[in-house]
Amino acid sequence: MSFSEAFLEILITAALLWTGGGAVALIVLLLIDWRRGNLW
Amino acid sequence: MPEFFLAQSSVSPATGWIIVLVLGVLWVALGIFWGRKAKDSEGFMLAGRNVGLSLGSATAMATWVTSNTTMLAPVFALTLGIWGMLAYSTASFGLLLFALFAGRIRTLLPKGVTAGDFFRLRYGRFGWSLFLIITMLYSLSWLVSMAIAGGDLLLALAGIPYLQGMSLILIVCVLYTLFGGLYAVIGTDFLQSVIILLGIVLIGGLVVSQLEFSEAYEHIQTYQPSLLKIAMPAALLAVFNNMLFGFGEVFHNNVWWSRAFAMKKEIAPKAFALAGILWFPIPIAAGFIALAAGPLGINITEANQTGPTVAAAVLGNAGLGAFAGVLILVVLFCSMASSIDSLLAATSDLLIRDVNEGLFKHKVDEKRFRKLAAIVILSVGALTWLLAAPHWPIINALFISGPLVGSLIWPVIAGLFWKRVNRGFVIAGILAGSALGVWAYFTLGWFTASLVGAGVSMVATLLGRFISPGPFPDSTELTSESS
């Protein structure tokens, strides 16, 4: 596997995990803010 | 490699109407519900200046995810390869840097309402007027291009006639902004951002599951080797140009300033930083699917439909054909609505606060505020509709505004962090940067315009730092906590 092939695979996998993780992080933060009465 | 087919991506016009109406009714109902919290003008324009981390991060991120992000990122990947996706991702640096500004903004203008307050305070009436012209041109072209994209989307995916689709999306966004102000915008932005993120991951995950990386890589290397080049000059220039365009857009525009004013003071820097971090992978996650088109045997007939075409084919191959059009429509509708609502609210705030109160000296009392806000939001919506109806290529106006907003980067930095500057130099830099940047757009190429605008303005602003600098005018009107 060449460097650029590995780079492409890692980049795409990381981007998808990062994006999905972002959605989860937002929901968790919302629950924390809601529990603490910090929504707005 | 499995055999792929191009699935029928479109839904019926009736399904398209139902999806947009169901989402529209939901957004409007939530807008009315959340809008009840807005007891005064500050509540309506700034959501009470008390927005927390989760809603603050989501609204900043969702506003920056436009239909361009989800539709253009695959086009960038298709034409500029790996660097095309990364170029788009650099737009997130604008949010990350704005995180550094947000705390300073709240310290400098604890009672500020719009970005115009800053320009008036720092650069006087002329600099403020210049800012208003640039920001109105930029905001309106962004708003109109989103409305046009909405009409195009419903036509392409659901066969709904352009004028009907464009009107439908615009009416939904106008209504919930009208009823709920920034509360409605921020609340719906949260739901829209989660839908967008999950939709992109679902589609991207299906593409990855159907793609053999080594075969895909070989295919691209054989048929489109330029897409894998690490050093691709045009793409590298695009990286820097896009980054500076993004800086200019975020640093100056009231969409972001109003959010900085709306969030809790200690939360604002964290929320913008988190929004930037969450936004960074989106153009890659949404864009890489274009690289899969060739290896998966998907025929791209129209470059600007790359994203939906690949998504529909992959969803179809996964046995989700009927669901494909619905999912794509929902994700794209959310990415448009989250920007249109923010632009409607922030542009209306500028018209009420800066144009009506500032330029025309019409003081608005609290009793008349909501009526005026409604008139202004409806007027902005109507103007957007009028400009979007003929389907002119307004997106070009948005791209041409790149050097204009790029020339505001350094004036914002100087005004926020410096104590003294020669204001004449700064204003001359904005004018020269804008003019030369537009010239570069037409003569050298789009990928140089923002670089030229920002560069010329930077030189002038730095000269103004050292040649006869003067203190900024004293103003207690906006800097006093007790005002």
Side-chain angles (χ1 to χ4, degrees), chain B residues 94-359:
Chain B
L95 292 176
L96 290 169
L97 280 178
F98 199 75
L100 301 174
F101 296 1
R104 178 69 184 141
I105 288 170
R106 294 300 299 268
T107 304
L108 189 67
L109 303 164
K111 291 289 175 187
V113 177
T114 68
D117 291 337
F118 165 80
F119 279 89
R120 184 159 46 92
L121 183 70
R122 286 316 206 202
Y123 297 112
R125 207 169 169 81
F126 186 73
W128 176 46
S129 303
L130 201 54
F131 155 78
L132 280 177
I133 292 168
I134 291 175
T135 200
M136 281 300 169
L137 177 69
Y138 164 78
S139 301
L140 208 57
S141 52
W142 186 11
L143 190 50
V144 175
S145 64
M146 288 292 104
I148 291 174
D152 286 344
L153 168 77
L154 287 181
L155 176 64
L157 285 179
I160 296 176
Y162 168 76
L163 208 55
Q164 291 178 25
M166 184 272 288
S167 308
L168 180 63
I169 286 184
L170 200 53
I171 286 169
V172 166
C173 294
V174 165
L175 281 180
Y176 72 78
T177 308
L178 183 71
F179 289 126
L182 199 59
Y183 275 115
V185 171
I186 289 176
T188 50
D189 275 359
F190 183 89
L191 296 172
Q192 288 156 357
S193 61
V194 172
I195 291 171
I196 293 165
L197 292 175
L198 293 178
I200 289 173
V201 171
L202 177 63
I203 293 166
L206 283 172
V207 172
V208 167
S209 73
Q210 295 172 20
L211 195 67
E212 190 62 50
F213 261 104
S214 53
E215 283 181 34
Y217 183 81
E218 270 176 37
H219 186 281
I220 299 170
Q221 203 170 35
T222 308
Y223 296 103
Q224 302 158 292
S226 65
L227 299 185
L228 297 169
K229 277 185 187 165
I230 300 294
M232 193 175 176
L236 286 173
L237 262 181
V239 170
F240 288 104
N241 189 75
N242 267 37
M243 195 164 66
L244 288 172
F245 191 175
F247 287 175
E249 289 178 280
V250 175
F251 290 2
H252 94 281
N253 198 266
N254 194 46
V255 161
W256 314 103
W257 285 70
S258 66
R259 277 159 179 71
F261 291 128
M263 293 173 202
K264 293 184 176 91
K265 186 181 174 185
E266 70 281 6
I267 290 294
K270 294 176 196 167
F272 276 101
L274 184 59
I277 291 167
L278 295 182
W279 198 93
F280 180 84
I282 293 174
I284 302 169
F288 88 91
I289 63 172
L291 296 179
L296 294 182
I298 299 164
N299 187 25
I300 305 291
T301 50
E302 276 190 68
N304 63 0
Q305 291 293 323
T306 302
T309 306
V310 177
V314 169
L315 285 164
N317 196 62
L320 299 168
F323 178 60
V326 176
L327 178 69
I328 296 165
L329 184 56
V330 168
V331 169
L332 289 175
F333 177 58
C334 285
S335 59
M336 281 168 200
S338 63
S339 303
I340 292 175
D341 61 4
S342 302
L343 276 161
L344 277 170
T347 308
S348 301
D349 291 352
L350 269 181
L351 288 171
I352 295 168
R353 172 85 177 185
D354 291 81
V355 177
N356 183 60
E357 288 189 25
L359 283 179

Side-chain angles (χ1 to χ4, degrees), chain B residues 58-78:
Chain B
T59 189
M61 194 217 73
T63 301
W64 210 210
V65 178
T66 67
S67 61
N68 280 344
T69 320
T70 42
M71 293 287 281
L72 217 55
V75 180
F76 263 54
L78 193 70

